[in-house]
Amino acid sequence: MEMRVAAGRWTPLLLLATLLLASNLVSGSHFRYGTMSWRPIDATDTEVGQTILADPILVRHTVAFEFKAAYRRDYEWGKFFREQYRPPNVAGGTQVWKDGGSCYTEDSCSVLGISNPSNYMLFPFIAQGFYVGWEIKLAVGRSYFELNVTGPNANDELSDTRRPCVSPFDTGDKPLCRGGVPSGTQYPTTQIDPTTNCVGSICAGSLVPYEITYPDFVSALTVPCEQVDDAEPDYCSPWSQTYGFFFGDSDTTGIPLSTDVVLEITEMNYEVTNVGNYLLGTASFYHTYQEAGVPKKKKDDFTPWTAYFTGGNRLTYSTDRLINNHQGRFRLELTVNLNYPGEVIGKQGYVPNNSPVMTALPVLPVPYTGRSEISANGVLATFQVSGFDPDIDPEAYKGNKLESNEAVYYFLGSQRKMGMLLANQVPDLKFPSRWFRAEYEEARRDCYLSSCIPVGGVADPFILVGTGANLIPAGVNLTVGQTFTPDPLNAAHNAFATFKYEGTCSECAGGNRTCTQLREEGPSGITIETPLNFTCELYEPWDNNVNLAHQPERLYLDRYSGVVQWETGINPRDVDNATYVTDFWNHRDPGDETKVTYAKRLAAKGTQPSPEQEPLQPGFYNVVFDVRSYSHDPDCHLKVYDAATLGSISPHTGKAFTLPAPGNGGLYTEAQCKAVDDENMIDIAYVSVPLDFLLFLYPPASWCSKSKCRNTQAGITTFRDEGFYGTQNDVNVLSTGSCTICGGGEWNLYDVSAAGLTDKQLNLTDYTVCLQDDDCKYDFDTVAITPAIEADICKRNTPPKWVDQASAGNDDGNTPTPRLADRPTWSTLRVVPSDPTSALASDPFIDGVPIENVYPGLALFLGQRSSEVRFNLTAVDEDDCVEMQILPIGLFRGYTMYNLDTDGVPTASQACSYASSFAGNDGNIGSTCPYNMKLEFIKRIGTTNQFYRTFVWSANNTLPQVQDPRPPNVVVCFIPFDNYQVGIRRCVNIILLSERFLYWIDARAKLTDVFSGTNDAFNTIVEDCNATRIAGSNENRYQNPCHYTPADLTTFYVSPNHTLEFYMTALQDSGNPPIGIYISEGGTMRANGTVGPPEGATFEYLEYDDKSGKTHLRDPAKRRFTWTPKEGQQCKYVLCFIGNNTRELEESIEFTSTFFWTRPFVPIPALLDERCYTIVVADQQLDMQAGSFVDAAAALPSLTSDCGMTFSMWFYPEGTTTMSLATFGYTKPGETDNIVYMLEWDPVTAVVFHDGITVQDLGQYYRLKFSTGQSYIIQTDAEFCVNEWHFLTFTIAPNGNFVLYLDGVETTHYSDDDRDFHVVAVETGSMPVVDGKVEIIGDILNNNPGYTGFLRIGSFDAVQTFNGMIGDVRIYSRVLTAEEIGAKQFVPLTATSEVGLEAYYKFNDGSQADNTLGNPQGNFNKYRAQPPASADPDCNLAGDTFCNNDVRDAPEGPFGSEMKAKGQSVTDLSGNNNHAIGCDDANCRKESTMYFVFGPSPITPPCPQETSPDVVHVDGGTPIAISGIGFARSQWLKCSFSMSDGSIKVIKAVHSDNSTIICANPGSPDLTVSALEVTNGGVNFFTNFQIPIYMMERVVSFPETGGKVTIKDACDMIGTNLFSMGAWVYPLSQSSSALEDVISLIGMTSNDQTGLLSVRYDGVRFVVHEKIGNTETALGESPDAPAHNMGEGSGWHYVMLSGNTDRLVLYMDGESTELTATSISLSTCDLELGTTTTGRKAFFGYVEEMSAFSGFLNACDSYQIMWGN
């Protein structure tokens, strides 16, 4: 990487050690960090008082606030701003608040001359933990005093500052009354919003400065004047002076409600360093939201309450080195919107909405990190914001997973949320502060005029003299900040425009100049004047992005993960011109599986050049995050948003709101309101909380190599150490020994462009401090380092890392480790270049760097209720010297943790506070966390660089588990810290499990023994439901009014477009809800790796209510599975469901502990249970025997001669006599049936010779006959068979043309040898025509109203009966062409796409519910699994829902007569309601049966699922048995195989039954993986059901026990003096304990000794040995050749050994290795593959393509033979 010195950017500033002249300087010196959150209260919040708790309305409008902040420790507490402090209360009394004159009361106010400096509190070190529990009061006030009303003055004018100003740019000061006008005269508004340059609220986007509650008639456009211009606030308290906590609502008089914040100290950091020296504390308090005394959930329909805390200014620039926002106001701002999702009047227990909760280190040290380091470390300067929302998202809920919490979205805070105002002192530290633009410009102008002088030294008024040739006319002179405005009456001005003169830095070329003096009282009353320098580059013209609060430059935040990347530069002075590595993805919504394609996720790495980037300044940076979650406010999408009235600009961000979708009547959609990731969504859609803390940017520290140098001399002093590193040791920090610091760690604020400064002066790397002994000589003459290299001498600090457990969940003393299932599957990181036109900015790649480099997910620790939790947090630092800390950084859920006990024993002090509203989700209403968490002292592991701290969470082991008050699901987070760099955060999800069994709720009577009397929900179920049986003759009838869980291994049958519904209900009653129920196997795999229901299905949680009206928080848990499968989804699905109370993911469940019939009959295990079901989606057909039929007469009137008609149907004949298929006709009153058309299936006579002697029975064949009432007959040839499906169609045109089709419209060939698999028949003719038109059945009925039509599908009478099945029937009122008939033959119809379709019957109307045995939903059939012989007949808990037969819950499987069709309606799917009806016993033509049955027809998409075998030979001809469902006995039944050349081969299938067929695989020209598909209809293969078939050659398999292939007398063909032998080899063993013989030449030498030349495998590589007699010699080995199960490569390797009298070469995968030439010479030999010889290790693996040559082959020859050439 090229290094180039950046241009001079920062000018030297004099370091001022003590500048405490004015109060706003002091206030700016101590704020470090802050965040807030809120939650609604519940009955456990007794501190709020019984008045509120007794009133449900007040309870629902009261919230508990949690406030966290960090301040400078040794600030003079009690001196300013009404601050007070006190030690913890003692038994029997309350401690008194103290201050040293902070003006909390007039009795103690330094401004009034009453002060007590001895009461200033600096919190000096006394002992670790001494100040924990002390309290600091952060009061409400303005300047030194409280918000109040003063006056009236002599002019009868009041000053009322009890209301904070709404706008940050409102001074609250009335203008001066001029010209003798009376007080209160209205003047136009003058305050300007610099973000819009608008006055008041008169233009869109302005931060409105006024509101109607202001006194004295202050309005948006005018403000009253005052007689004396006192420059003091009159009607509101300005942002620049106000401090305290404000709730956002007002009392009955309109005065905003506020409170003093009492901060309880939880941690004290005594390290006087840039990242230490702070105190950390929390405060909790309550508030009931109201308006004019009436409780209210939000401010108005579209405005939440805005609560905020402000308490002074931030750090300074000159003394504290805060680069951005120095001396700016800080403002922690959040929104409150009180909603109870799912709230129902009269119900209790609904979980209210909570705000997000955030945590961070007060000061996060960040080392400079250049672009080039991305590839090496996976990050730039990267860290992650920690936050969560306690609310459970019901749509994402998966048991007790933290990922089920509602999503949190991260944004950079707006200028308003950062505090908006900066002091803008000119120069820095010169008071007063210049909060507003006009004041800043005036001060800047004054400094220009007084401090910038030309080189000659003569005073220069800094005037731009107009010449007419520049921007102003001649005669016009401007000083800095003045504006020239052309005079329209002056012709000389016509050529000029308005121009403001800002000056340039050219006049300050002589260097920085003193602008003013800072005066302070020194010792003995001497006044000391300190010059304050003016640097013109630092005081440029007003810029809203500089002079108002702003985020650090080049800081990028991913809104979904909270991952922050900061492009800092390489170091403080060098330009970064490296390229980016484009392996990152930004703002990827993990809940949206469509945004990132699979191809992009696998995109290759790339680099993207970018413009050179100058470094950021070192020092502190203030960063503020705006963290949001869904508000659940229904008004967002239920009430009209009128942007014209309510505004289109957010007052919080200043950006335009996202407006309602067009055409929705001004209503937002619910999807819009849930889109919290939309930064510009209206405020009511989300709840927002702040996170405000400091980053400290510094050059990476380096130190001398401990292995090369003595490290005895102090090096560079940094912010952490005095020239040495590795020396600090106390109970929280351990070190390894001293290293001399040789660079980095801090920046000394020198001008980078100043001449003569050394690297050491600049505090960059200085190698000379390392060169002090013989190993590291320093040559002073040549200034060279010899013999060591710089990188070995001065080593850069690296961050510490966690030492993970060897496997997740295996407690081996190391840090709990995230399981692979918990790790995000791709990175959410991205580098954003400064150049917005860069290709990287628009289309980054992803997946180049694993996200675990930044945030590897949650580690899971499963503990036991009423038992101690204990685990180690082990970290390592690979540097030569180490100072290690392991720090807690907070808990996401249930607790707020800052300072854990470190003395090894729990103390009486409570280091955590449990938020009881979260307990509602966990089932511990009223928990108060009486047991401490603690971190034991840090320990070192031997003399290594590994350290650990033990985390302990104590418990009362005498309590029953249900009474353990600890929350059962918490997350604790930690970081390793080496005092310079912070390692990756590690969060551990602690789940406390219960030993109580989890049961599925079903019909087992003995469940009552477990839960009755103890569980209200279960008692309700038992009392309200009776699921054993229903009174009646059939004891097997089943109902499910209780939503019981079906028995394990139940099978459900459902037809397309019908609904399957069942419930999964589980109960544990362990006090550890919620129970999770989800699909564990067999569902649809989502992009995020979880399992969901099949496509189109839903799986939703429902709630149980007990008799008190309280909704249980998911114990018992109930989830409803609902699926209406569509056409094309016919298949068999096996779904397994898990019920558990752990955070286990589906893919990590240990299924060996669950209950299956194939295992011994054991009790259901605790904590986890699984049930598996089979769902068969299958078509139904109509099975009729003897005299049954279905009458479809309703469709006949539409069939007229206007357009003709078409009739089609699938049928499966089973009889051997003449059978009627469909009969059209009518009945006259009082007469018998009249036939108009009849279709018959007619057998033919046997085939005979001409002499009349039958010589051979060729089988029974059939033909299709069509006749009319006048006996007009058309028939097909007799070429068709029974017991297979046929398709008939006939059409009648208006002109009498008649066409009869059977089995299609043309002969179709499919096989390679051109044989027909079936024949078709097409017959044509004419119908009788009268008056130019044929009379069709509809004409007859329409012309004769008294006639009753019939269309009997099936039997016509007692003689013409039909035996078999009927499939799809289609009736059209038009003539279909042959092409249309062919196209529709094998395709289910979509009625809305069909023209003239009058009736469409699929016969999917059968259901058990239509019989005496069934399910109340009526849309599916349920079959119970066959219970084992050991099943308890009394339904014991150890069994399942298998009980005595008299109460069994379903039949054991489908049977032919279960779904009757007699008298049943048959649905017309055309949409015309021409429903058909099955005949009943009274009108069927003879005693008969008719049922709906499950079975396929040729239009059913088959679903192949398994093949045997699935590996076949490429030569073809192997019979493949294919199992699945939906295989029709169809003459079109075929298999297709995809070939490697892209072609498809189609093979006729042999039908065994509806679940098994056989196809022979075709030959393939080469090895391939073929996609096998099946069709019932010949041409329509369903690609959503494919099975891979592997067409391969055969190989020799050598077992581990030994095997051998011998080629006898090989030396007759080849010899050891000139030979080559090779093969493809696939080792399976990794063992290196012995060498495995692969290829060997073995025989006798010329002197009759045994000789062996062998290629062997040692588990890693191939080696060659020779053996003569008993002497064995190794001749060499190949490069690494990993075995298959080592996870590298395919496992196949090509090995060839080639030799002559001079050379021996081993070729492996194309690479050659020269070996020692063999000395063996065999006269006779065999060639062996493998071995069975005792004492030699058998080869374990595969061998193929063995070849041997009687010649020496070179590398090229070997390569060609390897690939078959």
Side-chain angles (χ1 to χ4, degrees), residues 874-907:
T874 305
V876 63
D877 194 326
E878 297 169 353
D879 294 321
D880 287 345
C881 290
V882 178
E883 293 180 4
M884 180 69 77
Q885 297 189 64
I886 296 174
L887 303 174
I889 59 169
L891 287 81
F892 284 158
R893 187 178 185 182
Y895 287 76
T896 302
M897 175 180 69
Y898 289 101
N899 185 34
L900 299 184
D901 292 336
T902 57
D903 59 0
V905 180
T907 65

Short mmCIF file of all heavy atoms in Angstrom, two decimals, residues 874-907:
data_model
loop_
_atom_site.label_atom_id
_atom_site.label_comp_id
_atom_site.label_asym_id
_atom_site.label_seq_id
_atom_site.Cartn_x
_atom_site.Cartn_y
_atom_site.Cartn_z
N THR A 874 -13.20 -17.35 28.82
CA THR A 874 -11.77 -17.49 28.60
C THR A 874 -11.38 -16.73 27.35
O THR A 874 -12.01 -16.87 26.30
CB THR A 874 -11.38 -18.97 28.46
OG1 THR A 874 -11.85 -19.68 29.60
CG2 THR A 874 -9.88 -19.13 28.33
N ALA A 875 -10.34 -15.92 27.46
CA ALA A 875 -9.86 -15.13 26.33
C ALA A 875 -8.36 -15.27 26.21
O ALA A 875 -7.65 -15.56 27.19
CB ALA A 875 -10.25 -13.66 26.49
N VAL A 876 -7.86 -15.04 25.00
CA VAL A 876 -6.43 -15.11 24.74
C VAL A 876 -6.00 -13.87 23.96
O VAL A 876 -6.78 -13.34 23.16
CB VAL A 876 -6.07 -16.40 23.95
CG1 VAL A 876 -6.73 -16.40 22.58
CG2 VAL A 876 -4.57 -16.57 23.82
N ASP A 877 -4.80 -13.40 24.21
CA ASP A 877 -4.22 -12.32 23.43
C ASP A 877 -2.87 -12.81 22.93
O ASP A 877 -2.02 -13.21 23.72
CB ASP A 877 -4.05 -11.07 24.30
CG ASP A 877 -3.76 -9.84 23.45
OD1 ASP A 877 -3.10 -9.97 22.41
OD2 ASP A 877 -4.20 -8.73 23.83
N GLU A 878 -2.69 -12.81 21.63
CA GLU A 878 -1.51 -13.41 21.02
C GLU A 878 -0.31 -12.46 20.99
O GLU A 878 0.72 -12.79 20.38
CB GLU A 878 -1.86 -13.88 19.61
CG GLU A 878 -2.93 -14.97 19.61
CD GLU A 878 -3.48 -15.27 18.22
OE1 GLU A 878 -3.10 -14.52 17.28
OE2 GLU A 878 -4.26 -16.21 18.09
N ASP A 879 -0.42 -11.29 21.63
CA ASP A 879 0.70 -10.37 21.68
C ASP A 879 1.78 -10.87 22.64
O ASP A 879 1.53 -11.72 23.51
CB ASP A 879 0.23 -8.98 22.14
CG ASP A 879 -0.71 -8.35 21.12
OD1 ASP A 879 -0.45 -8.52 19.92
OD2 ASP A 879 -1.70 -7.74 21.53
N ASP A 880 2.98 -10.28 22.50
CA ASP A 880 4.07 -10.64 23.40
C ASP A 880 3.75 -10.27 24.84
O ASP A 880 4.13 -10.96 25.78
CB ASP A 880 5.37 -9.96 22.97
CG ASP A 880 5.94 -10.59 21.71
OD1 ASP A 880 5.49 -11.69 21.36
OD2 ASP A 880 6.82 -9.98 21.08
N CYS A 881 3.11 -9.10 25.01
CA CYS A 881 2.72 -8.67 26.35
C CYS A 881 1.22 -8.42 26.35
O CYS A 881 0.64 -8.02 25.34
CB CYS A 881 3.45 -7.41 26.76
SG CYS A 881 5.22 -7.68 27.08
N VAL A 882 0.62 -8.63 27.49
CA VAL A 882 -0.84 -8.56 27.57
C VAL A 882 -1.25 -7.90 28.87
O VAL A 882 -0.64 -8.14 29.92
CB VAL A 882 -1.48 -9.97 27.48
CG1 VAL A 882 -2.99 -9.88 27.62
CG2 VAL A 882 -1.09 -10.68 26.20
N GLU A 883 -2.25 -7.06 28.79
CA GLU A 883 -3.01 -6.62 29.97
C GLU A 883 -4.46 -6.96 29.68
O GLU A 883 -5.09 -6.36 28.82
CB GLU A 883 -2.85 -5.12 30.20
CG GLU A 883 -1.44 -4.70 30.59
CD GLU A 883 -1.34 -3.19 30.79
OE1 GLU A 883 -2.37 -2.51 30.70
OE2 GLU A 883 -0.23 -2.70 31.04
N MET A 884 -4.99 -7.95 30.37
CA MET A 884 -6.29 -8.50 29.99
C MET A 884 -7.37 -8.15 31.00
O MET A 884 -7.18 -8.30 32.21
CB MET A 884 -6.19 -10.02 29.85
CG MET A 884 -7.50 -10.68 29.47
SD MET A 884 -8.02 -10.30 27.79
CE MET A 884 -6.92 -11.38 26.89
N GLN A 885 -8.50 -7.69 30.47
CA GLN A 885 -9.73 -7.55 31.23
C GLN A 885 -10.84 -8.31 30.52
O GLN A 885 -10.83 -8.43 29.29
CB GLN A 885 -10.15 -6.08 31.36
CG GLN A 885 -9.20 -5.19 32.09
CD GLN A 885 -9.81 -3.83 32.33
OE1 GLN A 885 -10.81 -3.70 33.04
NE2 GLN A 885 -9.20 -2.81 31.73
N ILE A 886 -11.77 -8.82 31.27
CA ILE A 886 -12.99 -9.43 30.71
C ILE A 886 -14.15 -8.72 31.39
O ILE A 886 -14.34 -8.82 32.61
CB ILE A 886 -13.01 -10.94 30.96
CG1 ILE A 886 -11.84 -11.61 30.21
CG2 ILE A 886 -14.34 -11.53 30.50
CD1 ILE A 886 -11.68 -13.08 30.50
N LEU A 887 -14.90 -7.98 30.59
CA LEU A 887 -15.87 -7.03 31.15
C LEU A 887 -17.29 -7.41 30.77
O LEU A 887 -17.56 -7.83 29.64
CB LEU A 887 -15.58 -5.62 30.63
CG LEU A 887 -14.18 -5.06 30.89
CD1 LEU A 887 -14.03 -3.72 30.19
CD2 LEU A 887 -13.95 -4.92 32.39
N PRO A 888 -18.21 -7.23 31.70
CA PRO A 888 -19.63 -7.36 31.33
C PRO A 888 -20.10 -6.05 30.68
O PRO A 888 -19.74 -4.97 31.11
CB PRO A 888 -20.32 -7.58 32.69
CG PRO A 888 -19.44 -6.85 33.66
CD PRO A 888 -18.03 -6.97 33.13
N ILE A 889 -20.89 -6.16 29.64
CA ILE A 889 -21.40 -4.94 29.00
C ILE A 889 -22.92 -4.91 29.01
O ILE A 889 -23.52 -4.10 28.31
CB ILE A 889 -20.89 -4.79 27.56
CG1 ILE A 889 -21.30 -6.00 26.71
CG2 ILE A 889 -19.41 -4.60 27.53
CD1 ILE A 889 -21.05 -5.79 25.24
N GLY A 890 -23.55 -5.78 29.79
CA GLY A 890 -24.98 -5.63 29.95
C GLY A 890 -25.75 -6.88 29.60
O GLY A 890 -25.22 -7.84 29.06
N LEU A 891 -27.02 -6.84 29.94
CA LEU A 891 -27.93 -7.92 29.60
C LEU A 891 -29.00 -7.37 28.71
O LEU A 891 -29.47 -6.25 28.89
CB LEU A 891 -28.57 -8.52 30.86
CG LEU A 891 -27.65 -9.37 31.73
CD1 LEU A 891 -26.80 -8.53 32.62
CD2 LEU A 891 -28.50 -10.34 32.53
N PHE A 892 -29.42 -8.18 27.79
CA PHE A 892 -30.50 -7.76 26.90
C PHE A 892 -31.85 -7.86 27.59
O PHE A 892 -32.70 -7.03 27.43
CB PHE A 892 -30.53 -8.63 25.66
CG PHE A 892 -29.45 -8.31 24.69
CD1 PHE A 892 -29.04 -9.24 23.77
CD2 PHE A 892 -28.86 -7.07 24.68
CE1 PHE A 892 -28.06 -8.95 22.85
CE2 PHE A 892 -27.88 -6.77 23.77
CZ PHE A 892 -27.48 -7.71 22.86
N ARG A 893 -32.05 -8.94 28.29
CA ARG A 893 -33.41 -9.21 28.73
C ARG A 893 -33.46 -9.50 30.22
O ARG A 893 -32.73 -10.33 30.72
CB ARG A 893 -33.94 -10.43 27.96
CG ARG A 893 -35.40 -10.71 28.21
CD ARG A 893 -35.81 -11.88 27.36
NE ARG A 893 -37.24 -12.11 27.48
CZ ARG A 893 -37.86 -13.09 26.87
NH1 ARG A 893 -37.20 -13.90 26.10
NH2 ARG A 893 -39.15 -13.26 27.02
N GLY A 894 -34.33 -8.80 30.90
CA GLY A 894 -34.58 -9.14 32.30
C GLY A 894 -33.77 -8.38 33.30
O GLY A 894 -34.21 -8.15 34.40
N TYR A 895 -32.55 -8.00 32.96
CA TYR A 895 -31.69 -7.35 33.93
C TYR A 895 -31.03 -6.12 33.34
O TYR A 895 -30.97 -5.94 32.14
CB TYR A 895 -30.54 -8.29 34.35
CG TYR A 895 -30.95 -9.41 35.24
CD1 TYR A 895 -31.62 -10.50 34.70
CD2 TYR A 895 -30.68 -9.40 36.58
CE1 TYR A 895 -31.99 -11.55 35.50
CE2 TYR A 895 -31.04 -10.45 37.39
CZ TYR A 895 -31.70 -11.54 36.84
OH TYR A 895 -32.06 -12.56 37.64
N THR A 896 -30.48 -5.31 34.21
CA THR A 896 -29.52 -4.29 33.82
C THR A 896 -28.27 -4.53 34.65
O THR A 896 -28.31 -4.43 35.87
CB THR A 896 -30.06 -2.88 34.08
OG1 THR A 896 -31.27 -2.73 33.35
CG2 THR A 896 -29.06 -1.84 33.62
N MET A 897 -27.18 -4.88 34.01
CA MET A 897 -25.98 -5.29 34.74
C MET A 897 -24.83 -4.37 34.37
O MET A 897 -24.53 -4.20 33.20
CB MET A 897 -25.61 -6.72 34.38
CG MET A 897 -24.32 -7.22 35.00
SD MET A 897 -23.96 -8.92 34.54
CE MET A 897 -23.57 -8.72 32.82
N TYR A 898 -24.19 -3.80 35.35
CA TYR A 898 -23.01 -2.99 35.09
C TYR A 898 -21.81 -3.51 35.86
O TYR A 898 -20.83 -3.91 35.31
CB TYR A 898 -23.29 -1.52 35.44
CG TYR A 898 -24.23 -0.89 34.47
CD1 TYR A 898 -25.57 -0.73 34.78
CD2 TYR A 898 -23.77 -0.50 33.22
CE1 TYR A 898 -26.43 -0.17 33.86
CE2 TYR A 898 -24.63 0.07 32.29
CZ TYR A 898 -25.97 0.23 32.61
OH TYR A 898 -26.81 0.78 31.71
N ASN A 899 -21.91 -3.48 37.17
CA ASN A 899 -20.76 -3.87 37.98
C ASN A 899 -21.10 -5.16 38.71
O ASN A 899 -21.87 -5.15 39.67
CB ASN A 899 -20.44 -2.75 38.98
CG ASN A 899 -19.20 -3.06 39.78
OD1 ASN A 899 -18.28 -3.66 39.26
ND2 ASN A 899 -19.18 -2.66 41.03
N LEU A 900 -20.56 -6.26 38.24
CA LEU A 900 -20.81 -7.53 38.92
C LEU A 900 -19.85 -7.67 40.10
O LEU A 900 -18.72 -7.20 40.07
CB LEU A 900 -20.60 -8.69 37.95
CG LEU A 900 -21.53 -8.71 36.73
CD1 LEU A 900 -21.28 -9.95 35.91
CD2 LEU A 900 -22.99 -8.65 37.16
N ASP A 901 -20.31 -8.35 41.14
CA ASP A 901 -19.45 -8.60 42.28
C ASP A 901 -18.19 -9.35 41.83
O ASP A 901 -18.25 -10.26 41.02
CB ASP A 901 -20.18 -9.46 43.32
CG ASP A 901 -21.33 -8.68 43.95
OD1 ASP A 901 -21.25 -7.45 43.93
OD2 ASP A 901 -22.27 -9.31 44.44
N THR A 902 -17.08 -8.97 42.40
CA THR A 902 -15.82 -9.62 42.02
C THR A 902 -15.08 -10.23 43.20
O THR A 902 -13.93 -10.60 43.09
CB THR A 902 -14.89 -8.60 41.35
OG1 THR A 902 -14.67 -7.50 42.24
CG2 THR A 902 -15.46 -8.11 40.04
N ASP A 903 -15.75 -10.36 44.33
CA ASP A 903 -15.05 -10.91 45.50
C ASP A 903 -15.26 -12.41 45.65
O ASP A 903 -14.79 -13.00 46.61
CB ASP A 903 -15.50 -10.19 46.79
CG ASP A 903 -17.00 -10.33 47.01
OD1 ASP A 903 -17.66 -10.97 46.18
OD2 ASP A 903 -17.49 -9.79 48.02
N GLY A 904 -15.95 -13.00 44.69
CA GLY A 904 -16.13 -14.44 44.73
C GLY A 904 -17.29 -14.89 45.58
O GLY A 904 -17.64 -16.05 45.60
N VAL A 905 -17.92 -13.99 46.34
CA VAL A 905 -19.04 -14.36 47.20
C VAL A 905 -20.18 -13.37 46.97
O VAL A 905 -19.95 -12.16 46.97
CB VAL A 905 -18.63 -14.35 48.69
CG1 VAL A 905 -19.81 -14.73 49.57
CG2 VAL A 905 -17.47 -15.27 48.92
N PRO A 906 -21.42 -13.84 46.76
CA PRO A 906 -22.53 -12.90 46.62
C PRO A 906 -22.67 -12.03 47.86
O PRO A 906 -22.50 -12.49 48.99
CB PRO A 906 -23.74 -13.82 46.44
CG PRO A 906 -23.17 -15.10 45.98
CD PRO A 906 -21.83 -15.23 46.61
N THR A 907 -22.96 -10.77 47.63
CA THR A 907 -23.10 -9.84 48.74
C THR A 907 -24.54 -9.43 48.89
O THR A 907 -25.41 -9.78 48.11
CB THR A 907 -22.24 -8.60 48.50
OG1 THR A 907 -22.75 -7.91 47.34
CG2 THR A 907 -20.80 -8.96 48.25
#
